[in-house]
Amino acid sequence: MKIFEAAEMKNLKLKNRLIRSATWEGLAAIDGGINEKTFDIYRELAKGGVGAIITGFTSVAKDDYYFGGMMRLSEDKLISQYKKLVEIVHAENCPIIAQLALGAYYRDFEEVDENEMTTAEVKEVIQKFIDEAKRAELAGFDGVQIHAAHFFFLSRFISPAVNQRSDEYGGSTENRTKILFEILRGIKNIAPALHITIKINCNDFTRGGLEEEESLIICKKLVAAGIDSIEVSGNGTSVAGIRAGVNEGYFAPFAIQLAEEISTPVICVGGWRSKIIMEKILTDTNIKFLSLSRPLLREPDFPQIVPARRK
């Protein structure tokens, strides 16, 4: 059964092709510190048998006020706590990836519109992502994920619906996405052993926003720049009313096309529920991995239960 074949990507050895997609926990302290409840969640996930885990939204900035309870690796003092988290997951022979994210940029406690940021402030954000990747490496993480989806900061910044800047970071696709490539290049330079993946919208589902054609161009450029894998998502974190065998895999059409045109592993998220459909996607397309969240919230041992199910 292809779902449960062992698989590899750069610096990652997975016991199967199921990945826990980043899931919001909202349990961290104000400074991003994590507690025993968080450790327990990840311990249960790792014991449940998933192939790899991507952490919940982990902000790169100590002054990111977009959410309460967000994880952060924005200061060196937090490395030891995240090292413990990594050790818990690694004890179950499961790799773990830190999702590097930013809700919004703040200046003097006020959220700043992406178009109002100075060029220096944009470069400051780029450095925050690079610095957090280094802390993730020091904590023992196997990889990092650049979160450029769901209309959080990077997703908004690269979207033509939002970015109206007139400097080197605005206008064309190349300029709007320059921020991604500078982050990627910086991480590769400072932590070359890390697996670097990105989560990106196939479509912003917003008037004037990023659409499939442009997203495909961006993804191909990311491959050329050395990204190690791409997780395909879309604006909005989830779709309600998913029924097994009916409307699961709602981002699969774009992911299938992308996987046909690049050799870099494609990870597809989006309402996976049934063994039959997941197996068919992995067997009949070039998609290499499937990521999921809600099934693992309900049943952390979902990867162990699925093989016994008929559907």
Side-chain angles (χ1 to χ4, degrees), residues 10 32 34 59 66 75 100 107 114 125 138 141 156 166 171 183 190 198 208 229 252 262 274 276 284 291:
K10 179 192 171 184
I34 45 182
S59 183
Y66 202 79
E75 298 179 272
L100 312 185
R107 187 193 301 141
E114 289 76 14
V125 167
L138 292 172
F141 282 93
R156 295 193 302 272
S166 58
I183 290 170
I190 201 169
I198 189 166
S229 64
I262 65 173
S274 64
I276 291 175
D284 295 350
S291 54

Side-chain angles (χ1 to χ4, degrees), residues 8-35:
E8 294 187 15
M9 292 187 278
K10 179 192 171 184
N11 199 40
L12 302 178
K13 293 184 178 181
L14 295 78
K15 59 177 72 77
N16 57 57
R17 295 180 181 273
L18 297 179
I19 297 173
R20 198 295 287 259
S21 190
T23 304
W24 175 251
E25 290 108 10
L27 296 172
I30 293 174
D31 69 352
I34 45 182
N35 54 28

